Amino acid sequence: MKDVVLLEKSELTAGSTWHAAGLTTYFHPGINLKKIHYYSIKLYEKLEEETGQVVGFHQPGSIRIATTPVRVDEFKYQMTRTRWHATEQYIIEPEKIQEMFPLLNMNKILAGLYNPGDGHIDPYSLTMALAAGARKYGALLKYPAPVTSLKPRSDGTWDVETPHGSMRANRIVNAAGFWAREVGKMIGLEHPLIPVQHQYIITSTIPEVKALKRELPVLRDLEGSFYLRQERDGLLFGPYESQEKMKVQDSWVTSGVPPGFGKELFESDLDRIMEHVEAAMDLVPVLKKADIIRIVNGPITYSPDILPMVGPHQGVRNYWVAVGFGYGIIHAGGVGKYLSDWILHREPPFDLIELDPNRYGKWTTAEYTEAKARESYGFNNIVGYPKEERFAGRPTQRVSGLYETLESKCSMGFHAGWEQPHWFYKPGQDPGYRPSFHRTNWFEPVGSEYQQVMQRVGVIDLSPFGKFNIKGPDSIRLLDHLFANVIPKVSFTNISHMLTPKGRVYAELTVSHQSPGEFLLVTGSGSELHDLRWIEEEAIKGGYDVEIKNITDELGVLGVAGPYSRKVLQKLTSEDLSDNVFKFLQTKSLKVSNIPVTAIRISYTGELGWELYHRREDSAALYDAIMNAGQEEGIDNFGTYAMNALRLEKAFRAWGSEMNCDTNPLEAGLESFVKLNKPADFIGKQALKQIKAKGLKRRLVCLTLATDDVDPEGNESIWYDGKVVGNTTSGSYSYRIQKSLAFAYVPVELGKVGQQVEVELLGKNYPAVVIQEPLVLTEPTRSRLQKKGGKDKI
C-alpha cells in the first residue's frame, strides 16, 4: 500500500518520544505481546542496513533481579510461558549476575531473569530511520500539519482537514500520542487515556563504569521498582513510584493538552522518587558517589491497564487507533507491522484481544481512567500472579442487579467493567484476595461449589455476557454468511463460530432463534464490542437490511445448574420443563415467579441447567425467588472458578484459550460446529477447505497430570523427548479425579490417547497423559445413554 500519508502536528519525535529512555526488551508477561517485542527488536537490528540511518542500538542484554522466593517463582512461571516462543530467556544464578554486572551489591539477590539481545536505542535516531524507510517505499510525511477536523462521509471515507487544506482518506489511524484524546473528541469519542509524569536520572561519568571492558546489561530491580542502564560512562535510572506518590497530568484531561506543548518537560521532583533512588544506591553502590547531571520528567500516555489500544474502533467506520503506549519504543515496530497486516489482509495476523480498543466502553469514565492509570503505574513491577485482580476504580456503573446481594459473600472478578463472583466463602473461611503461584485460599471452597452443581443445584450470575439482538429481512442471510454453523430453527439455540477469511476463529457465540428472523446472540464479556464491531462491519459491507442492537447492559442473566435445577425452577413456572417438552438447546419465553424471562436450556457446566435472560432490574427478585424455591434441594451459589473446572471436565472449549485468531476450528476440535457443506459461502469457508485438504500439523488434546500443590492454567510449555513441542491453553484441578486437567496443543503425532508428555509448572516437569475426552460426560449425553439402557457405558 503506497498511498499512505503521515500528518505530524509539529515535528517528528515531539511529545513523548524525544525524551524516552529508549529501553528495548524481548520480555513481556503476556503471550502474544512477546511477538510484538520480538518483531520490533529484529526490525531495529536491520534498520541501519536498510535505510542507511544510524540508530544507536545497544544490545547488552537485560537482567530482572529476584530478591524474594516469590520472585523466583514468578521467574519460573514466566519461563514456562516463554519456552514455546522464539524469545531467548534464562534464569541465571547470582554468580552469573555478578559476572555480568560486577558493580552490584549481591546481598539480597537470589536469581535473575536474563534476556540476551535486550538493550536500548536512541529514540530520535530510530524515528528518523523509520521515517527514511517509509519515504523510501513511497509514504508521504507532512509536518507541521495539525489536523483541525475529521468528517466521516456516507461511503465510509473521511475528509481530513489541516491548515494547508483537506484530504480524502479511505481510513484514518489515530497515532497521536498524548494528543490522541483530542483527535478522538473530533469524532465524538472519549478515549480513556491520561498523561502521567515519568522521571529518570542521568549521572555524570562514574570511574568504575568507565573502567569496564563491556557495556553493562540493563537492570530491572523489581522490588526497588526501577530500571537502570549504562549511559555513556555514567548510569541512567528511572523509577516507578507508588500510586500514592506518582503524578498524573489530570489538567490535560479536563482542559486539554496546552496547544504549543511539543518538546517541553515538567519540573523535576526528586523528593517524589527518593526512596527508589536510595534503593538504587543500595543495589549499585557506585551511585552514592555519582553526580546527577540531569533529571528528565516528561509525559507518557497511559491507558487504564497500561496496555496500548490498537486496531479498528467499534461504532465508527474505518477509524483505527494506535494509542496509549506506555512503552512506545519497544512496541513501535511490532505494532506498525501488526496494524499494516490487519489493514492489508482484513484480519489480525495473530490474536491480541488484550490490545483491542473495544475492551473499554461507556463505563470507562475519566475517574476510572485516572484511578486505574495511577494503579497501573504504581504496580509496574509488582509480582504478576495468575488470576490477578486489581481493585482501583471498582466497581464501575456496570454492576448486575445481584451485586449488593452477593458482594459480601464472594470474591469478585473484574470482567469488561462488570463485577462477577469468582468464588464464594462460608463463615470461618479466609475471604481475602490471596494470589499465589500455588493452590491458595479458594481451592477448597471451589471444590465445594463443584460438588454443589454436580450433586444438587447451583446459581451463578452470568450478567457480564455480551448480548445482541439482530432482526430484519436479511438477518438469516447475514448470520449464514457470518457463522460456520447452520442457523438454528425457531425456538432453538446453537453454538456458532465467526471465522476470519484465513479460517481462524474470530469469535464464538450462542445463537438463539427467538422468533422468525429475530435472534439473540450471546458472547463472553471480554468479547462484547470486539464481536459487535465485526458483525456491524460485515452488515454494512454486504448491504444487509438488518437492525443490530447491543442489549448487554439491559439484560441480566442467571444460570441455574445441577440435577435439581428442573425441580427448583418448575416450582416457579407453569411452563412444562420436562425433558421431552423443554429439550436441550431449546429457547422459550416464559415467566419465572411472574418475572418475564427468555430461558435457554444450556449450561457451560455441562450439567442439567438453564440460562435465564431477564431485565437487569429484575435480577434481585428473580434470584431471591429461585433461592427460596430451592431451600429443600439445598440450593447455593457458585462462581466462575467452579464453572471453569466443570467445563474442562466436559472438554468444553473456551474462546480466548482453546480458540482465537491463532487457531483454526479443525485443530481446536470444533468440527461438529463447522458445516462445510452448508450452501452459504460463510467467511473462512474456502480457507478451511484448504486447511482440511492439507491436513493438520497440531491438534488440541486433553491431558491429566498429577502435581504437588500447583495446577496448570494455560500457556505452559509441553515437553516431549527433551524438547518443547507445544503449549497448554487452559487448566484446572479436576475435583472428580483429584488430578490436574489441561487442554494443550501438541503435534498430531503426539495426540493419540495414552500418549505421555510433560507439562512444565514452576520449573518442574510433571508427567502428563493424553486422555479420551471428555473426562465427564455431559448431562444430555448421560440422559440419552440412560434411555438406551447404557448404564454400564456411563
Side-chain angles (χ1 to χ4, degrees), residues 97-116:
I97 298 169
Q98 187 159 31
E99 182 191 319
M100 295 169 73
F101 203 118
L103 306 179
L104 286 180
N105 169 5
M106 298 299 295
N107 285 349
K108 298 176 188 168
I109 295 174
L110 301 177
L113 193 66
Y114 172 53
N115 289 97

Side-chain angles (χ1 to χ4, degrees), residues 301-316:
T301 312
Y302 262 47
S303 70
D305 63 9
I306 214 173
L307 294 174
M309 296 155 65
V310 177
H313 207 286
Q314 187 270 332
V316 199

